[in-house]
Amino acid sequence: MTIYYTQNVDFYKGNSTEQLLKEFGSPLYIYSEEIFRKRCREMVGLVDYPHYKVTYSIKTNSNLTLLKIAREEGLHADAMSPGEIFVLEKAGFKPHEIFYISNNVSEEEMKYAIDKGIDTSVDSLSQLDMYGRLNPGGKVAIRINPGVGAGHHAKVITAGDKTKFGINTECIGKVKEILKKYGLTLKGINQHIGSLFMDGSKYVESAKNTLNVAKQFDDLEFVDFGGGFGIPYRKQEGQPRLEIAEFGKNFGEMLREWAKEYKKDILFRSEPGRYISAESCILLGTVHAVKENHGTFFVGTDLGFNVLSRPIMYDSHHEIEQYRDGKIITAGETVTANVVGNICESGDIMAKDRVLFIPKEKDLIAVMDAGAYGYSMASNYNNRLRPAEVLINTDGSVQLIRRRDTLEDLIRNFPDLA
Ligand code: LLP
């Protein structure tokens, strides 16, 4: 039997999908406060080692209201750019609650974080040297490549032998030379092996490698193991969740043992992004056309890859629910179809070869698990307007948390129109 996620978790809390689109426009990103908070809490409670901090990886979703909720739940955050630092500060995060994980940044960008007193990690010897020039005598972190990667697609595996990220473990001697040259202290070591694993074995293996490197430094304040915790994108088929309780127990024991040997209450961190935000969001759109072309059935919607690019970027699977006249469709005659958007490319396919209840114009299409790398990777391609975002609060009330783009937004940066 198919499991319908929104029914299962009472996602809309009595709100009408039709009404939401009428009020905020289609397509629309709809978030659940309840689910977002639940995922934050699961991560905060992952290990029972007392010096453990979750830094939310905001590249996943940096909506200001969601960031404030994450902070309320006790999360810190990692940032990948001055823009992310800027937004985090607007959401109330203090410099000590932000970890800047830089990659190939300019001197200006690195200085932006240093001047604010934000912990900064560099991921090459040349950037470590740059850090030393900019902040001699300072404290710095390095991102190492622990040699083991994981992820749902080659494009998101960020450790191992095919990636631009991290300092290889053989270079530790050179790291020490640069630290000495500038009187730097190595404050932290971090890693991120990639995005989306459903069993924790690679994470643990890579963490062991990183801890072996960490042992070679005396003054560390933290070791950060990165994100990558997966979510089940195939819930309708009953895909199991990542066993985080079991994982957390074993991982916590390993960390406790290591800290005992290191003889210091060192801080351990992880950087989940997707796990926190993905399942808290449904992307809702409208069917505007249905047609059959040379034997393929197309459902033409306003859900182009400008709105959610994961399917065309990584062949990602997002489940679909269909609604008609304010109700979810769970029975009827079916057809195998491609759900496509309104962008001028044949690759503009949101969901391929799906068995759907025969769709009609004005039906609504809901795309599951859209909260991670959804809006944050949306664009104005074809001069389309990025959607609004709304939050369904725990009490069922609905709050606009980002307005929809306007046509004026499309010309905002043209000096000759100022
Ligand atoms: N830490 C660092 C340094 C990262 O680069 C990332 C993600 C994370 C943490 C969070 O990883 P997560 O827990 O979300 O897996 N756009 C792709 C994923 C790109 C991941 C980039 N880095 C997607 O839609 O699948």
Side-chain angles (χ1 to χ4, degrees), residues 142 144 169 172 186 189 208-217 220 258:
I142 55 166
I144 66 146
T169 48
I172 294 306
L186 193 71
I189 291 191
K208 282 184 183 154
N209 294 350
T210 291
L211 288 170
N212 279 336
V213 174
K215 248 192 256 168
Q216 303 172 42
F217 295 90
L220 292 179
W258 192 87

Side-chain angles (χ1 to χ4, degrees), residues 57 59-60 78 80 101 143 152 156 192 194-196 227-229 271-274 310 314 373 377:
S57 193
K59 56 184 75 69
T60 309
D78 81 56
M80 205 73 195
I101 303 173
R143 173 170 176 172
H152 67 84
V156 301
H192 171 68
S195 194
L196 206 161
F229 302 86
E271 300 159 7
R274 184 189 315 272
R310 300 194 70 253
Y314 319 106
Y373 309 105
M377 290 173 70

Side-chain angles (χ1 to χ4, degrees), residues 124-339:
S124 63
L125 296 175
S126 68
Q127 295 246 295
L128 181 59
D129 200 83
M130 180 198 279
Y131 187 95
R133 290 195 309 273
L134 293 174
N135 193 25
K139 291 184 171 183
V140 66
I142 55 166
R143 173 170 176 172
I144 66 146
N145 179 345
V148 183
H152 67 84
H153 190 282
K155 287 179 186 162
V156 301
I157 297 175
T158 51
D161 55 8
K162 288 191 177 56
T163 179
K164 66 170 178 163
F165 295 103
I167 296 175
N168 292 336
T169 48
E170 309 89 70
C171 297
I172 294 306
K174 293 214 173 82
V175 167
K176 288 185 172 173
E177 280 171 29
I178 299 172
L179 293 174
K180 196 156 166 227
K181 178 171 158 199
Y182 294 105
L184 298 171
T185 304
L186 193 71
K187 180 176 188 179
I189 291 191
N190 59 301
Q191 65 162 50
H192 171 68
I193 62 169
S195 194
L196 206 161
F197 55 81
M198 290 307 283
D199 86 86
S201 56
K202 290 264 175 67
Y203 197 77
V204 171
E205 189 186 339
S206 64
K208 282 184 183 154
N209 294 350
T210 291
L211 288 170
N212 279 336
V213 174
K215 248 192 256 168
Q216 303 172 42
F217 295 90
D218 297 330
D219 300 318
L220 292 179
E221 293 174 29
F222 64 86
V223 179
D224 180 327
F225 301 104
F229 302 86
I231 63 114
Y233 281 100
R234 293 175 185 265
K235 296 179 182 56
Q236 287 174 357
E237 303 162 10
Q239 184 188 4
R241 302 191 64 75
L242 176 63
E243 295 265 10
I244 62 161
E246 176 76 10
F247 167 80
K249 191 167 160 280
N250 299 334
F251 197 54
E253 269 163 31
M254 180 179 124
L255 300 184
R256 259 200 310 277
E257 281 305 306
W258 192 87
K260 219 189 279 167
E261 275 176 38
Y262 196 66
K263 297 194 175 53
K264 188 171 170 183
D265 288 337
I266 192 165
L267 177 71
F268 291 115
R269 296 204 292 228
S270 60
E271 300 159 7
R274 184 189 315 272
Y275 192 88
I276 302 286
S277 62
E279 294 165 290
S280 70
C281 175
I282 304 295
L283 170 61
L284 192 61
T286 307
V287 177
H288 291 307
V290 285
K291 76 162 150 194
E292 201 172 324
N293 237 2
H294 300 285
T296 305
F297 195 98
F298 288 97
V299 189
T301 71
D302 52 10
L303 298 166
F305 71 82
N306 60 309
V307 179
L308 179 71
S309 65
R310 300 194 70 253
I312 68 150
M313 282 276 285
Y314 319 106
D315 282 329
S316 298
H317 182 94
H318 286 264
E319 283 175 342
I320 298 290
E321 288 182 2
Q322 297 170 260
Y323 310 134
R324 185 174 297 156
D325 302 327
K327 289 197 194 76
I328 187 166
I329 312 176
T330 58
E333 220 182 307
T334 59
V335 62
T336 299
N338 288 351
V339 178

